[in-house]
Amino acid sequence: MTGQRGTAGHEEPTPAQLRAATVRSLQGQFPGVRVWYGEATGSWWAMVPLRDGPRLIEAPTPQEIRDLILRARSLG
């Protein structure tokens, strides 16, 4: 699937391409953490490995999932 035409003949990324890039970026920032966007829920999800076992977190935006990952890792 191709993006829509933007200015100067450049293709704009689709929402799915933007979400995939965001997932790659977040997983690059947090090795070992699995991040995904839930198409059915419209939420961002992450499985964060912690000392007491993995923790599943959910947030409405990429920034909020990033903040929750940081908070989960700091607690444990």
Side-chain angles (χ1 to χ4, degrees):
M1 180 175 215
T2 61
Q4 298 176 349
R5 282 251 181 241
T7 58
H10 293 284
E11 298 254 344
E12 293 181 21
T14 65
Q17 290 169 328
L18 291 172
R19 288 191 296 268
T22 300
V23 165
R24 285 191 301 274
S25 174
L26 287 166
Q27 290 185 168
Q29 290 175 51
F30 303 107
V33 174
R34 300 297 300 163
V35 178
W36 67 95
Y37 177 77
E39 293 286 337
T41 62
S43 295
W44 288 87
W45 296 85
M47 183 65 72
V48 183
L50 302 173
R51 283 185 298 241
D52 297 333
R55 180 170 175 206
L56 179 64
I57 57 175
E58 175 188 16
T61 67
Q63 181 61 45
E64 289 180 66
I65 200 78
R66 181 185 176 281
D67 293 345
L68 289 173
I69 292 168
L70 286 169
R71 187 176 309 143
R73 285 183 143 191
S74 72
L75 295 175

